[in-house]
C-alpha cells in the first residue's frame, strides 16, 4: 500500500467535499440504524424504500458516488441514532428537513409516491404533540432545545462511509495536530477548552494528557472506555454506532499529543453493532493510510485495537479495565500509582471515555474559545444524556452543561407519562443519587450536582413518577452494585451484601427504625474504606433516598405498610413484537420477575415486579411498556 501523503489527504478532502456538494442536489433519505430503530424494523424500511425507488426507475447514490440522471437521483442511507428513540423507526428526508416517526415497512410506498416524487408531507407520519403536527425535525420540541455537538453527525451521515466523514472535515483536526501543532500546544488547547472527562469523574482531560506527555517511557497507550455499564445509559453506544470515526480521530490526536502509538477501545460485548461499526471504521482508515505506520509520511504511527468486555460493571473503573485488556480478571488496584503513570501493561496511559474523545476533533477545528462558550464557567461544552423511565419522550439528548432538569424532562422529554406527577430522577447510575422536585431547576454540571450529593456520571437519567416506591428503587441499585462487586475488598463485598439484606427486610415490611440507622452507618463505612469508585459510591442511591424520602422508609418500618406499593394500578408488559429475546431485562431485574428463553419474547410477572425501572433502562429495543389498569 502506498503511503498517503499530506498533499494526497488534501486532494482526497477536496474530492470528497466536491462529491458531497454535488450530492446535495439529490434528495437524501436518512433511516435511523441505531440499535433501537433496528429493533423497530428500520432494516426492512430501508430495504422496502430501495425496492420502491428502483421499481420507479429512480437512481440511487452509492456513498458519495452518483449513478443516473441528476433530477431523478437520491441517497438512501442507514444513519446512526437520531436520538428520538420513543418514536422509532425514524426517517429523515433532506433537504426538506422532514422527519417521519414510527415508520413501518408498509409506509414506504406512500413515502416514495407522495414525498420523494410529489414533494408532499404525509401528516400522519409526522410527530404530533398537543394536537400540533411538527413535520420538520428542527421544530420538534424534543430537538429544539438541544445543542448537538458530539451527536451532530450521528443521525446525519452514513456511519460506515469514511469518505462522507472526510467530506465533513473529518480527520482535519488530526492533520492539524500532526503537522501544525506541538504536543504541548495540543495539551494546552484541550486544557484551555475546559473539557472534563465525560465518564463520570469530570477530571480535566488536558491535565491528564499533559501528565502522560511529560512521562518518559518507551511505550505509551491511549485507551477508550466504551464499557458503559450503568442501567439506562446508552450514550456511548450511540456515538460508537453513529459516528465511530470521531472517537478514533480523538484517540489519534491524543496519541500525537502524548507520544502514544497504540490505541485500545474497550467495548462491552453486549454492543455488537458498536463493535462492528468501529471495526469497519478502523479497517477503512487503515486501508486509506490514516491508521498504521508512518501516517501521511509524517513518521508518526498509530494502531487501533478493539477489546470486548464481558459486561462486568467494575471494568468501567480504570485499573480494572486495563487489567481486563491485559487478559486478567477485571479488578481494581490501589492508587497511586495512577493510570497516567502506571496504566496498561504498567505504562503511562491516557484513559478517557467515548464521549470525551468524540469532543476532541471539534475543539481542535474550532478552537478552545468556541468550546468554552458552551456550558458553564467550570463545566464547558455539552453533555449527552440517556432519558428513560416514566417520561413521555425517551431517547438520547445533548444539551449545554448547566441545562436544568426541568428543561430536559419537561421541555425535551415532554413531561411524565399518563399525566402522572414527577417524583424523582436517578442521575449517575448506581454511583449517583436521586434528585427530587426541589432540584428541577438545578443546573446539571459537575460542581452543582456534587453540592447536592449527586454526580453527572456517564449521563443516565431514569425518571420516576408518583407510583414509584423509592425504597424499592434504592434496593434495586444496591442489588445491582452488590451483584457487580468484584469482591476484592471487604467493605464493598460484605458491606453492600448487609445493606441489601436490610433493604430486602424493609421492603418486605419486616424492618425496624434501627435498620435506617444501620444503613447510614454502613454507608459511611463503605464510602470511606472501599477500594475503588464503585464501592465508594455504592451507597449514594440509598443515602439520597433516605435524605429526600425518609417518610417512605418510615411507612415500611413503622407502619409496615407502603401506600405507594399497595396503591399501584399499573403493570408492566413486554411487547412481543419488539422483544428480541436478548435477556437484558431479566439479567437486570432485582426481583427475578422476568423470565423467558433467548431469541424468544420474555414476560414479566407483575406479582413480583417492584416497578423500579431497571428493565426500561436495560432494554435496548423499547419493548417495555407500562399499562394502566382500571379501578
Amino acid at each position: 500500500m502506498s503511503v498517503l501523503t499530506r498533499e494526497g489527504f488534501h486532494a482526497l478532502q477536496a474530492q470528497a467535499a466536491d462529491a458531497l456538494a454535488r450530492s446535495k442536489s439529490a434528495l437524501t433519505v436518512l433511516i435511523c440504524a441505531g440499535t433501537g430503530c433496528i429493533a423497530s424494523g428500520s432494516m426492512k424500511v430501508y430495504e422496502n424504500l430501495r425496492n420502491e425507488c428502483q421499481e420507479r426507475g429512480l437512481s440511487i447514490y452509492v456513498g458519495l458516488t452518483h449513478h443516473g440522471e441528476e433530477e431523478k437521483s437520491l441517497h438512501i442511507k442507514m444513519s446512526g441514532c437520531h436520538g428520538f428513540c420513543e418514536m422509532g423507526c425514524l426517517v429523515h428526508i433532506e433537504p426538506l428537513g422532514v422527519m417521519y416517526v414510527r415508520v413501518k415497512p408498509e409506509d414506504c410506498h406512500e413515502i416514495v409516491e407522495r414525498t420523494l416524487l410529489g414533494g408532499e408531507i404525509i401528516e400522519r407520519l409526522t410527530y404530533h404533540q398537543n394536537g400540533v403536527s411538527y413535520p420538520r425535525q428542527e421544530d420538534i420540541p424534543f430537538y429544539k432545545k438541544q445543542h448537538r455537538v458530539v451527536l451532530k453527525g450521528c443521525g446525519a451521515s452514513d456511519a460506515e462511509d469514511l469518505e462522507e466523514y472526510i467530506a465533513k472535515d473529518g480527520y482535519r483536526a488530526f492533520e492539524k495536530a500532526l503537522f501544525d501543532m506541538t504536543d504541548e500546544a495540543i495539551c494546552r488547547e484541550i486544557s484551555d477548552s475546559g473539557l472534563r472527562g465525560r465518564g463520570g469523574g469530570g477530571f480535566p482531560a488536558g491535565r491528564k494528557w499533559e501528565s502522560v506527555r511529560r512521562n518518559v517511557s518507551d511505550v505509551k497507550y491511549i485507551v477508550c472506555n466504551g464499557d458503559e455499564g450503568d442501567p439506562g445509559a446508552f450514550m456511548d453506544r450511540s456515538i460508537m454506532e453513529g459516528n465511530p470515526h470521531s472517537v478514533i480521530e480523538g484517540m489519534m490526536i491524543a496519541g500525537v499529543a502524548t507520544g502514544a502509538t497504540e490505541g485500545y477501545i474497550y467495548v462491552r460485548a453486549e454492543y455488537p453493532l458498536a463493535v462492528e461499526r468501529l471495526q469497519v471504521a478502523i479497517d477503512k482508515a487503515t486501508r486509506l493510510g490514516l491508521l498504521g505506520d508512518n501516517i501521511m509520511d509524517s513518521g508518526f504511527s498509530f494502531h487501533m485495537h478493539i477489546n470486548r468486555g464481558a459486561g462486568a460493571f467494575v471494568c468501567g473503573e480504570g485499573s480494572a479495565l486495563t487489567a481486563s485488556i491485559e487478559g486478567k480478571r477485571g479488578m481494581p488496584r490501589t492508587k497511586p500509582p495512577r493510570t497516567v503513570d502506571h496504566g496498561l501493561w504498567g505504562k503511562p496511559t491516557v484513559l478517557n471515555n467515548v464521549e470525551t474523545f468524540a469532543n476532541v476533533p471539534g475543539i481542535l477545528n474550532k478552537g478552545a474559545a468556541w468550546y468554552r462558550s458552551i456550558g458553564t464557567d467550570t463545566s464547558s461544552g455539552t453533555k449527552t444524556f440517556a432519558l428513560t423511565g416514566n417520561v413521555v419522550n425517551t431517547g438520547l439528548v445533548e444539551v449545554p452543561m448547566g441545562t436544568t432538569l426541568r428543561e430536559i424532562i419537561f421541555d425535551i422529554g415532554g413531561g411524565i407519562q399518563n399525566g402522572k406527577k414527577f417524583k424523582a430522577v436517578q442521575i449517575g447510575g448506581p454511583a449517583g443519587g436521586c434528585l427530587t422536585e426541589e432540584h428541577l431547576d438545578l443546573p446539571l454540571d459537575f460542581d452543582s450536582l456534587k453540592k447536592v450529593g449527586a454526580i453527572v456520571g456517564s449521563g443516565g437519567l431514569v425518571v420516576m413518577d408518583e407510583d414509584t416506591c423509592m425504597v424499592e428503587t434504592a434496593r434495586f441499585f444496591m442489588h445491582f452494585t452488590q451483584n457487580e462487586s468484584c469482591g476484592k475488598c471487604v467493605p464493598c463485598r460484605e458491606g453492600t451484601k448487609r445493606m441489601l439484606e436490610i433493604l430486602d427486610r424493609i421492603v418486605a415490611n419486616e424492618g425496624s427504625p434501627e435498620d435506617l440507622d444501620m444503613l447510614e452507618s454502613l454507608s459511611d463505612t463503605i464510602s470511606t474504606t472501599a477500594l475503588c469508585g464503585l464501592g465508594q459510591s455504592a451507597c449514594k442511591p440509598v443515602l439520597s433516598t433516605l435524605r429526600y424520602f425518609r417518610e417512605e422508609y418510615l411507612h415500611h418500618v413503622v407502619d409496615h405498610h407502603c401506600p405507594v406499593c399497595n396503591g399501584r394500578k399499573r403493570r408492566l408488559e413486554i411487547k412481543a413484537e419488539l422483544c428480541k429475546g436478548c435477556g437484558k431485562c431479566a439479567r437486570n431485574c432485582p426481583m427475578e420477575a422476568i423470565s423467558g428463553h433467548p431469541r424468544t419474547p420474555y414476560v414479566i410477572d407483575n406479582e413480583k415486579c417492584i416497578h423500579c425501572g431497571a428493565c426500561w433502562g436495560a432494554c435496548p429495543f423499547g419493548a417495555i411498556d407500562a399499562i394502566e389498569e382500571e379501578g
Side-chain angles (χ1 to χ4, degrees):
M1 182 184 70
S2 60
V3 175
L4 176 70
T5 64
R6 189 181 191 186
E7 292 72 23
F9 178 68
H10 287 167
L12 182 62
Q13 278 183 317
Q15 179 184 346
D18 181 64
L20 181 65
R22 286 187 286 106
S23 74
K24 287 182 179 179
S25 62
L27 285 171
T28 299
V29 183
L30 293 154
I31 301 163
C32 181
T35 295
C37 277
I38 286 177
S40 298
S42 64
M43 298 301 290
K44 185 63 177 177
V45 170
Y46 174 75
E47 181 185 330
N48 281 14
L49 271 175
R50 287 184 66 90
N51 291 339
E52 291 281 351
C53 290
Q54 288 168 352
E55 286 177 7
R56 288 159 180 76
L58 297 173
S59 299
I60 300 173
Y61 278 95
V62 179
L64 294 182
T65 306
H66 171 242
H67 301 284
E69 299 176 32
E70 191 77 18
E71 66 273 9
K72 291 185 179 180
S73 299
L74 73 152
H75 278 291
I76 300 180
K77 301 179 182 179
M78 300 294 286
S79 74
C81 178
H82 291 221
F84 206 3
C85 305
E86 179 74 17
M87 293 290 132
C89 164
L90 298 162
V91 174
H92 186 204
I93 303 171
E94 289 289 2
L96 303 178
V98 172
M99 170 73 85
Y100 288 147
V101 302
R102 291 182 174 162
V103 176
K104 305 296 182 187
E106 52 267 28
D107 296 322
C108 294
H109 176 83
E110 188 176 4
I111 290 172
V112 173
E113 289 290 335
R114 295 179 58 185
T115 304
L116 300 186
L117 293 177
E120 181 185 350
I121 293 174
I122 306 169
E123 187 174 343
R124 70 175 182 84
L125 293 178
T126 63
Y127 176 72
H128 289 74
Q129 182 174 307
N130 299 326
V132 179
S133 169
Y134 295 91
R136 294 177 60 83
Q137 176 177 333
E138 62 189 35
D139 296 328
I140 296 174
F142 179 81
Y143 291 104
K144 200 165 187 178
K145 283 206 170 186
Q146 294 192 47
H147 186 143
R148 296 197 149 209
V149 174
V150 170
L151 299 179
K152 186 176 181 181
C154 284
S157 303
D158 182 341
E160 297 186 0
D161 192 338
L162 174 56
E163 187 181 1
E164 184 173 0
Y165 181 75
I166 291 174
K168 296 178 176 179
D169 289 334
Y171 291 104
R172 185 165 69 88
F174 169 66
E175 182 220 354
K176 179 181 179 181
L178 191 59
F179 292 103
D180 300 333
M181 301 178 73
T182 65
D183 52 3
E184 185 178 2
I186 299 169
C187 292
R188 185 168 57 248
E189 189 78 1
I190 298 301
S191 291
D192 291 347
S193 73
L195 175 65
R196 297 172 66 171
R198 296 307 198 249
F203 189 83
R207 193 189 307 175
K208 183 179 291 188
W209 291 21
E210 178 65 15
S211 296
V212 175
R213 185 190 77 82
R214 288 176 176 270
N215 258 316
V216 178
S217 177
D218 57 336
V219 178
K220 299 178 184 179
Y221 296 101
I222 307 298
V223 176
C224 177
N225 182 356
D227 189 57
E228 194 171 48
D230 290 2
F234 52 93
M235 301 76 57
D236 290 347
R237 184 195 76 196
S238 297
I239 295 169
M240 291 185 287
E241 290 177 358
N243 199 7
H245 285 287
S246 67
V247 182
I248 294 169
E249 185 178 6
M251 294 177 68
M252 292 165 68
I253 292 168
V256 176
T258 59
T261 58
E262 300 282 338
Y264 287 81
I265 307 178
Y266 188 89
V267 189
R268 57 178 42 230
E270 294 166 310
Y271 286 176
L273 186 58
V275 171
E276 177 186 335
R277 289 184 178 163
L278 281 168
Q279 191 62 61
V280 168
I282 290 170
D283 291 344
K284 287 186 175 182
T286 302
R287 284 196 296 270
L288 188 60
L290 285 169
L291 277 173
D293 295 322
N294 193 25
I295 300 171
M296 294 192 214
D297 205 19
S298 65
F300 174 74
S301 301
F302 198 81
H303 298 84
M304 293 285 299
H305 316 273
I306 298 175
N307 277 76
R308 282 179 283 186
F313 181 68
V314 74
C315 285
E317 193 275 341
S319 59
L321 186 152
T322 54
S324 181
I325 293 176
E326 293 168 3
K328 303 170 186 174
R329 181 178 176 183
M331 300 177 79
R333 57 169 173 78
T334 56
K335 302 180 202 60
R338 301 288 177 184
T339 306
V340 293
D341 300 310
H342 186 92
L344 190 60
W345 285 295
K347 301 295 183 178
T349 301
V350 167
L351 198 161
N352 287 124
N353 89 319
V354 168
E355 187 180 348
T356 309
F357 281 121
N359 270 293
V360 170
I363 292 172
L364 260 62
N365 279 332
K366 298 181 180 180
W370 160 77
Y371 196 75
R372 270 209 177 274
S373 69
I374 309 168
T376 69
D377 291 340
T378 59
S379 299
S380 301
T382 61
K383 180 71 188 82
T384 60
F385 290 98
L387 190 60
T388 60
N390 304 130
V391 66
V392 172
N393 296 323
T394 59
L396 192 65
V397 305
E398 183 176 1
V399 294
M401 279 284 195
T403 301
T404 66
L405 274 173
R406 189 182 303 277
E407 290 175 289
I408 295 175
I409 296 172
F410 291 91
D411 296 343
I412 296 174
I416 310 304
Q417 289 177 339
N418 304 311
K420 297 286 185 177
K421 184 181 178 182
F422 169 81
K423 186 169 189 177
V425 59
Q426 175 73 16
I427 183 169
C434 283
L435 299 178
T436 66
E437 192 169 9
E438 70 179 85
H439 302 115
L440 282 175
D441 295 310
L442 180 76
L444 294 185
D445 60 64
F446 294 109
D447 302 313
S448 298
L449 286 171
K450 188 176 181 180
K451 291 176 183 176
V452 295
I455 59 171
V456 173
S458 59
L461 287 175
V462 182
V463 180
M464 291 165 274
D465 67 15
E466 60 190 281
D467 292 335
T468 305
C469 174
M470 302 310 296
V471 185
E472 290 180 340
T473 299
R475 177 176 63 167
F476 160 69
F477 282 107
M478 185 52 64
H479 179 278
F480 178 90
T481 303
Q482 205 284 318
N483 189 56
E484 292 292 339
S485 172
C486 74
K488 186 173 184 178
C489 74
V490 173
C492 183
R493 183 184 70 239
E494 299 299 327
T496 57
K497 188 175 183 179
R498 299 287 85 79
M499 289 186 71
L500 180 60
E501 289 171 353
I502 293 171
L503 288 166
D504 281 338
R505 191 161 63 240
I506 292 173
V507 169
N509 295 322
E510 297 172 357
S512 67
E514 289 74 25
D515 283 332
L516 306 189
D517 297 329
M518 181 58 71
L519 284 175
E520 291 174 330
S521 177
L522 284 169
S523 295
D524 181 63
T525 301
I526 296 168
S527 300
T528 54
T529 60
L531 175 63
C532 77
L534 171 63
Q536 292 164 9
S537 58
C539 308
K540 284 188 175 181
V542 177
L543 288 175
S544 63
T545 52
L546 271 169
R547 178 180 179 182
Y548 298 118
F549 298 98
R550 197 174 191 89
E551 186 176 340
E552 291 194 18
Y553 280 87
L554 293 174
H555 281 307
H556 280 280
V557 300
V558 176
D559 303 333
H560 300 292
H561 169 86
C562 177
V564 178
C565 299
N566 294 299
R568 285 199 186 100
K569 297 179 181 179
R570 183 176 61 187
R571 62 184 175 85
L572 293 184
E573 182 179 277
I574 298 177
K575 299 177 182 177
E577 67 273 17
L578 295 181
C579 179
K580 301 300 178 183
C582 69
K584 288 184 181 180
C585 56
R587 290 195 295 273
N588 281 274
C589 178
M591 302 308 296
E592 299 182 353
I594 303 178
S595 59
H597 300 284
R599 294 182 292 279
T600 59
Y602 278 61
V603 294
I604 297 177
D605 182 347
N606 276 274
E607 292 298 317
K608 297 180 180 179
C609 176
I610 63 173
H611 295 251
C612 64
C615 52
W616 277 310
C619 179
F621 309 115
I624 313 291
D625 196 15
I627 307 298
E628 294 292 326
E629 296 182 325
E630 294 182 4

